Amino acid sequence: MGKYGHFSKDGKEFIIIRPDTPAPWVNYLTNKTYHVLITHVGGGYSFYISPKDSRITRWRYNALPWDRPGKYVYLRDNENGEYWSLSWQPVCKPPVFYQCRHGLGYTIIEQEYAHIRSTVCYFVPLEDELEVWHIRLINRGNKPRNLSIFSFVELCLGHALVDLINQPNDQHFNDVRFVQEDNAIYATKRYWVTYSGPTVKQANQAWNKWVYFSSSLPVIGFDGSRNKFIGPWRSESNPLAIEQGKCSNTMITAGDAVAALQNNISLAPKEELEFTIILGVVDKPHDRGLRTPVEPARKLAKPFIKKYADSLNIDKEFNQLRKYWDWYLSHAQVATPDPQMNLALNIWNQYQNKITFLFSRNASYYHGGLLFGRGYRDACQDALGPVMVEPDAVKQRILEMAQNQFKNGSVMHCYFPITGGGERTGHSDTPLWFPLAVTNYLKETGDFAILEQSVEYLDGGKGTILQHLLNNINYVLNDTTNRGLPKFGPGDWNDTLDYLGRQGKGESVWVAMCLALAIKETVQLLKYLESEKKLQSKGLMYQTRSIRSLRQKYEQAYFKLANTINRLCWDGNWYIRGTNDWGEIIGSKKCKEGKIFINTQTWAVISGIAPKNRAIKALDSVRKYLDTPKGPQLVAPAYTEVNPRIGLATRCVPGKKENGAVFNHPVTWAIYAECLLGRGDIAYEYYKKALPPAFQTSKKIKVKVKPLFPQSKISKLQSEIIYDPADEDIYEVEPYVYAEYVTSPEHPTFGQASHSWLTGTAAWMLRDGLDHILGVKPTYNGLLVDPCIPKHWKEYSVTRKYRDATYHITVKNPSGINCGVKEIWIDGKKIVSNLLPIFPKGESHYITVILG
Ligand code: NOJ
């Protein structure tokens, strides 16, 4: 039980028990197109597909008070004029009871103030493009109450960045109307920026959506003007309309837009009232500026207004949402001796990964959704988890990513799904994630036909998915220095090593390893497809001969690359990180700072290029020089001096972000690499350290900041830190999901996390748990069982749906070892290998695995 909250008994809700958390704690409410971020106190914003291009409601960046505006319902006692909000914020009256339950796709805020018990359940139905606020009020006092209800959102209506930086002009296109018959406000914008360049180049077009905001109770007042509803020199905390108990009934054609609805009710003692507010979007088929008729929008919105005014339909939709998540999670369920790991793998890690798949690094409280769109490398990795459950969605994503490639194999580094465009930054790793996403998809689904699917390149012409994949590899393979190592370019996975290689001379050793893995995976795929029979059975048109010669070509490339890395990049106890345009080495014992980077140690193992003795030494160095009580740092010692020949990493404060934080995404690769070496105890230790505070048991530890290197200046600044990994005040952000990074002991705020929710950690941690620790790995030929667990585990089980069959796997560890399979039994029959066959659709099988 944390200070601020805890999981529900079934683990499917995180229950926040007081509103004054150290940061806004967020949840996501989403379907395929309509998305909401909501905090435990009702803050947050809504958007349609793209948080930049089609923002429905506003959210104020870096503002104080923070986490404003939101999805607010206010109550006003008309006897005495007192008012409060049902989500604590923004009025912040001290409730006698408060609880927020963040569930899978819904958030319920329950509160009691002035004898009125209120529950607001926020959710987005699975299909309809709207959000529901289902509200229940109970009069728990013994006096009849005469109350006004004000529901309120502040509207953005289109391009969120333009709204932020060009509001004085952009507000002239707002159009807010009220339609009594629908109890609804309709709002739109008569202009829509879709090109993120200079505004003079903008198309002459209107936003293609109408927003509607409707109450299931009769509306007796409304406002579309923010100035009128909130009033001058006021905020959401004390709106004038509420203070006066009366809206001004404003409809606007210019100005800051809001949607506020007023209902008046009376509640007898013990009486209950249920009602619903919905906020949704519909298409705008006509655009006639000020004279754009609202009728077509009403026609589209009215069925939804009607549907959601009926609480039976709300219950139905809410139950469907819950069923969807039960179904989603049922694809992989584990029962290990570690309840915290079970909770993470069975529920929250899967949930977080689905959210990262939907939003890349593009819509959170840290990624405001204004800048980069969908990250190419991020999207490829985020698919790792959802592919187990929703392969069709991943297939669509693969095709979408293929559309964002050029003929030569280079790719857009980020792109915008609604408006198109993006940026071709030239990051050296980005193309390599596509082959990994495709091979992962194929191992899970066996859908080899995708390889022959033809997709257009951005610069014209078409190629099959296999061709796209090979182009990616060829592009990086051909873009090497004369020593045969990939060029660093303007950055690799580490975006902040951004001034090493802009002149095309610096080399990324990590990209060399990533390339080696992409080639290795491709060789494996080609090898699988190589026989004529296989090709025919998969309906593929390729010739065995051509597949074989491709395979041989890439095999040679792999060995050459592995040889080059081992010849040039071994530093004695670890692999260097790269070289810069001036020929200086990065990540070497000879460097003053930034001596060792984690990624080239872990990927040396993951890519398979490291000989056994070097693999062990490299991972031992991670443990010796990078590990902290929260897991291994990204680099050590952190940079204290700006180095213009390295870049942004050296400008960042030591111990945070890419300058030596415990960056959880690379920690997942350390776990993977440790499993590959069979060191299950270390892998498990890293896994446990990385779990967020709600998965930790409270244990105060004294951390002596060991000088990682004698010359580390930073470590001398620190003496002893008392640290509790379960302390939510230290961690600050949501304790139920992974954050991008946790501050390392090299900074005084050690243990503080940032950039929660949207991080590659979610996808990889899930696969670390399922594939590498618990050892159930999809391959082209079936599920391979190859666990790497802590020695003290005696037994665990995994239920995994794979290619439409269900595998119930129990693993026993009678000799207390980390890895090694001695026997496998399927439905009571012993088999000779540790590869479980692909079972026919719908079948269920019971498998017992004995380690030894
Ligand atoms: C965040 C980005 O989303 C991810 O792609 C990147 O690799 C890390 N930052 C590290 O720089």
Coordinates of all heavy atoms in Angstrom, one line a residue, residues 360-362 367 372 375-379 381 413 427 429 433 492-497 510 599 634 657-658 663 665-666 669 740 755 758-760, ligand 1:
S360 N 3.0 5.9 -29.9 CA 4.4 6.1 -30.1 C 5.0 7.0 -29.0 O 4.8 6.7 -27.8 CB 4.6 6.8 -31.5 OG 5.9 6.7 -31.9
R361 N 5.7 8.1 -29.3 CA 6.1 9.0 -28.2 C 5.4 10.3 -28.4 O 6.0 11.4 -28.3 CB 7.7 9.2 -28.3 CG 8.5 8.0 -28.3 CD 8.4 7.2 -27.0 NE 9.0 5.9 -27.3 CZ 8.2 4.8 -27.6 NH1 6.9 4.9 -27.8 NH2 8.8 3.6 -27.9
N362 N 4.1 10.3 -28.8 CA 3.5 11.4 -29.3 C 2.4 12.1 -28.5 O 2.0 13.2 -28.8 CB 3.0 11.1 -30.7 CG 2.7 12.3 -31.5 OD1 3.2 13.3 -31.3 ND2 1.7 12.1 -32.5
H367 N 5.3 14.2 -23.9 CA 5.3 14.4 -25.3 C 4.0 15.1 -25.6 O 3.0 14.4 -25.6 CB 5.5 13.1 -26.0 CG 6.6 12.2 -25.5 ND1 6.4 11.4 -24.5 CD2 7.8 12.1 -25.9 CE1 7.5 10.7 -24.2 NE2 8.4 11.1 -25.1
F372 N 6.5 15.7 -33.2 CA 7.2 14.8 -34.1 C 6.3 13.7 -34.7 O 6.7 12.9 -35.6 CB 8.3 14.0 -33.3 CG 9.4 15.0 -32.9 CD1 9.8 15.0 -31.5 CD2 10.0 15.9 -33.7 CE1 10.8 15.8 -31.1 CE2 11.0 16.7 -33.3 CZ 11.4 16.7 -32.0
G375 N 7.0 8.2 -34.3 CA 8.4 7.9 -34.5 C 8.6 6.5 -35.2 O 7.9 5.6 -34.8
Y376 N 9.4 6.5 -36.2 CA 9.5 5.3 -37.0 C 10.1 4.1 -36.2 O 9.6 3.0 -36.1 CB 10.4 5.6 -38.3 CG 10.3 4.5 -39.3 CD1 9.4 4.6 -40.3 CD2 11.1 3.4 -39.3 CE1 9.3 3.7 -41.3 CE2 11.0 2.4 -40.2 CZ 10.1 2.5 -41.2 OH 10.0 1.6 -42.2
R377 N 11.3 4.5 -35.6 CA 11.9 3.4 -34.8 C 11.1 3.0 -33.6 O 11.0 1.8 -33.2 CB 13.3 3.8 -34.3 CG 13.4 4.8 -33.2 CD 14.7 4.7 -32.4 NE 15.8 5.5 -33.0 CZ 16.1 6.8 -32.7 NH1 15.3 7.4 -31.8 NH2 17.1 7.4 -33.3
D378 N 10.4 4.0 -33.0 CA 9.5 3.7 -31.8 C 8.4 2.7 -32.2 O 8.1 1.8 -31.6 CB 9.0 5.0 -31.3 CG 10.1 5.9 -30.8 OD1 11.1 5.5 -30.3 OD2 9.9 7.1 -31.0
A379 N 7.8 3.1 -33.4 CA 6.6 2.3 -33.8 C 7.0 0.9 -34.1 O 6.2 0.0 -33.8 CB 6.0 3.0 -35.0
Q381 N 9.3 -0.9 -32.6 CA 9.5 -1.6 -31.4 C 8.2 -1.8 -30.6 O 7.9 -2.8 -30.0 CB 10.5 -0.9 -30.5 CG 11.9 -0.9 -31.2 CD 12.8 0.0 -30.5 OE1 13.4 -0.3 -29.4 NE2 13.1 1.2 -31.0
H413 N 12.1 9.5 -40.4 CA 12.4 9.2 -39.0 C 11.1 9.4 -38.2 O 10.9 8.7 -37.2 CB 13.4 10.2 -38.5 CG 13.9 9.9 -37.1 ND1 14.6 8.8 -36.8 CD2 13.8 10.6 -35.9 CE1 14.8 8.8 -35.5 NE2 14.4 9.9 -35.0
H427 N 18.8 9.7 -39.1 CA 19.4 8.9 -38.0 C 19.8 7.5 -38.5 O 19.1 6.9 -39.2 CB 18.3 8.7 -36.9 CG 18.1 9.9 -36.0 ND1 17.5 11.1 -36.4 CD2 18.5 10.1 -34.7 CE1 17.6 12.0 -35.5 NE2 18.1 11.4 -34.4
D429 N 20.2 4.6 -37.3 CA 19.6 3.3 -36.9 C 18.2 3.1 -37.5 O 17.7 2.0 -37.6 CB 19.4 3.2 -35.4 CG 18.5 4.2 -34.8 OD1 18.6 5.4 -35.2 OD2 17.6 3.9 -34.0
W433 N 15.0 -0.9 -37.9 CA 14.0 -1.4 -37.0 C 12.9 -2.1 -37.8 O 12.1 -2.9 -37.3 CB 13.4 -0.3 -36.1 CG 14.4 0.2 -35.2 CD1 15.1 1.4 -35.3 CD2 14.9 -0.4 -34.0 NE1 16.0 1.6 -34.2 CE2 15.9 0.5 -33.4 CE3 14.6 -1.6 -33.3 CZ2 16.5 0.1 -32.2 CZ3 15.3 -1.9 -32.2 CH2 16.2 -1.1 -31.6
D492 N 22.0 8.1 -33.4 CA 21.4 6.8 -33.6 C 20.3 6.6 -32.6 O 19.6 7.5 -32.3 CB 22.5 5.7 -33.6 CG 23.3 5.6 -32.3 OD1 22.8 6.2 -31.3 OD2 24.3 4.9 -32.2
W493 N 20.2 5.4 -32.0 CA 19.1 5.2 -31.0 C 19.2 6.3 -30.0 O 18.2 6.8 -29.5 CB 19.2 3.8 -30.4 CG 18.3 3.7 -29.2 CD1 17.0 3.3 -29.3 CD2 18.5 4.1 -27.9 NE1 16.4 3.5 -28.0 CE2 17.3 4.0 -27.2 CE3 19.6 4.7 -27.2 CZ2 17.2 4.3 -25.8 CZ3 19.5 5.0 -25.8 CH2 18.3 4.7 -25.1
N494 N 20.5 6.6 -29.6 CA 20.7 7.7 -28.7 C 20.6 9.0 -29.5 O 21.6 9.5 -30.1 CB 22.0 7.6 -28.0 CG 22.1 8.5 -26.9 OD1 21.6 9.7 -26.9 ND2 22.9 8.1 -25.8
D495 N 19.4 9.7 -29.4 CA 19.2 10.9 -30.2 C 20.2 12.0 -29.8 O 20.3 13.0 -30.5 CB 17.8 11.4 -29.9 CG 16.8 10.4 -30.4 OD1 16.9 9.9 -31.5 OD2 15.8 10.1 -29.7
T496 N 20.7 11.9 -28.6 CA 21.5 13.1 -28.1 C 23.0 12.9 -28.3 O 23.8 13.8 -27.9 CB 21.3 13.3 -26.6 OG1 21.7 12.1 -25.9 CG2 19.8 13.5 -26.3
L497 N 23.4 11.8 -29.0 CA 24.8 11.8 -29.5 C 24.7 12.4 -30.9 O 24.9 11.7 -31.9 CB 25.3 10.3 -29.5 CG 25.3 9.7 -28.1 CD1 25.8 8.2 -28.2 CD2 26.3 10.4 -27.2
W510 N 27.3 0.9 -32.0 CA 26.0 0.3 -31.7 C 25.1 0.0 -33.0 O 24.5 -1.0 -33.1 CB 25.2 1.2 -30.7 CG 23.8 0.6 -30.5 CD1 23.5 -0.5 -29.7 CD2 22.6 0.9 -31.2 NE1 22.2 -0.9 -29.9 CE2 21.6 0.0 -30.8 CE3 22.3 1.9 -32.2 CZ2 20.3 0.0 -31.2 CZ3 21.0 1.9 -32.6 CH2 20.0 1.0 -32.2
N599 N 24.8 0.3 -24.3 CA 24.2 -0.3 -25.5 C 25.2 -1.2 -26.3 O 24.8 -2.2 -26.9 CB 23.6 0.7 -26.4 CG 22.2 1.2 -25.9 OD1 21.8 0.7 -24.9 ND2 21.6 2.1 -26.6
L634 N 22.8 4.4 -18.4 CA 23.1 4.4 -19.8 C 24.5 4.6 -20.2 O 25.1 4.0 -21.1 CB 22.2 5.5 -20.5 CG 22.2 5.7 -22.0 CD1 21.6 4.5 -22.6 CD2 21.5 7.0 -22.4
K657 N 18.2 11.8 -18.1 CA 18.1 11.6 -19.5 C 19.3 10.8 -20.1 O 19.8 10.0 -19.4 CB 17.7 12.9 -20.2 CG 16.2 13.1 -20.3 CD 15.8 13.6 -21.7 CE 14.5 13.2 -22.1 NZ 14.5 12.2 -23.2
E658 N 19.7 11.2 -21.3 CA 20.7 10.4 -21.9 C 22.1 10.7 -21.3 O 23.1 10.1 -21.8 CB 20.7 10.7 -23.4 CG 19.6 10.0 -24.2 CD 18.4 10.9 -24.4 OE1 18.2 11.8 -23.6 OE2 17.6 10.6 -25.3
F663 N 18.3 4.6 -17.9 CA 17.3 4.7 -19.0 C 16.7 3.3 -19.2 O 17.4 2.3 -19.6 CB 18.1 5.1 -20.3 CG 17.4 6.1 -21.1 CD1 17.6 7.4 -20.9 CD2 16.6 5.7 -22.2 CE1 17.0 8.4 -21.7 CE2 16.0 6.6 -23.0 CZ 16.2 8.0 -22.7
H665 N 14.7 1.8 -21.2 CA 14.7 1.1 -22.5 C 15.9 0.2 -22.7 O 15.9 -1.0 -22.9 CB 14.4 2.1 -23.5 CG 14.1 1.7 -24.9 ND1 13.8 2.5 -25.9 CD2 14.2 0.5 -25.5 CE1 13.6 1.9 -27.0 NE2 13.8 0.6 -26.8
P666 N 17.1 0.8 -22.6 CA 18.3 0.0 -22.6 C 18.5 -1.0 -21.5 O 19.2 -2.0 -21.7 CB 19.5 1.0 -22.5 CG 18.9 2.3 -22.8 CD 17.4 2.3 -22.5
W669 N 17.4 -4.3 -22.7 CA 18.4 -5.0 -23.5 C 19.4 -5.7 -22.6 O 20.0 -6.7 -23.0 CB 19.0 -4.0 -24.5 CG 18.0 -3.5 -25.5 CD1 16.9 -4.1 -25.9 CD2 18.0 -2.2 -26.1 NE1 16.2 -3.3 -26.8 CE2 16.8 -2.1 -26.9 CE3 18.8 -1.1 -26.0 CZ2 16.5 -1.0 -27.7 CZ3 18.5 0.0 -26.8 CH2 17.3 0.1 -27.6
E740 N 10.4 6.5 -18.9 CA 11.6 6.4 -19.8 C 12.9 6.3 -19.1 O 13.7 5.5 -19.3 CB 11.6 7.6 -20.7 CG 12.7 7.6 -21.7 CD 13.0 9.0 -22.3 OE1 13.4 9.9 -21.5 OE2 12.7 9.2 -23.5
H755 N 9.1 11.1 -18.0 CA 8.6 10.6 -19.3 C 7.9 9.2 -19.1 O 8.3 8.2 -19.7 CB 9.7 10.5 -20.3 CG 10.2 11.8 -20.7 ND1 10.8 12.7 -19.8 CD2 10.3 12.5 -21.9 CE1 11.2 13.8 -20.4 NE2 10.9 13.7 -21.7
L758 N 5.0 6.6 -22.3 CA 5.4 6.4 -23.7 C 6.9 6.1 -23.7 O 7.7 7.0 -23.9 CB 5.0 7.5 -24.6 CG 3.4 7.8 -24.6 CD1 3.1 8.8 -25.6 CD2 2.6 6.5 -24.9
T759 N 7.2 4.9 -23.7 CA 8.7 4.5 -23.7 C 8.8 3.1 -24.3 O 7.9 2.2 -24.1 CB 9.3 4.5 -22.3 OG1 10.5 3.7 -22.3 CG2 8.4 4.0 -21.2
G760 N 9.8 2.9 -25.0 CA 10.1 1.5 -25.6 C 10.3 0.5 -24.6 O 10.3 -0.7 -24.8
Ligands
NOJ1 C1 13.4 8.8 -27.0 C2 13.1 8.4 -28.3 O1 11.7 8.2 -28.5 C3 13.8 7.1 -28.6 O2 13.5 6.8 -30.0 C4 15.2 7.3 -28.4 O3 15.9 6.2 -28.8 C5 15.5 7.7 -27.0 N1 14.8 8.9 -26.8 C6 17.0 7.8 -26.6 O4 17.5 8.9 -27.1

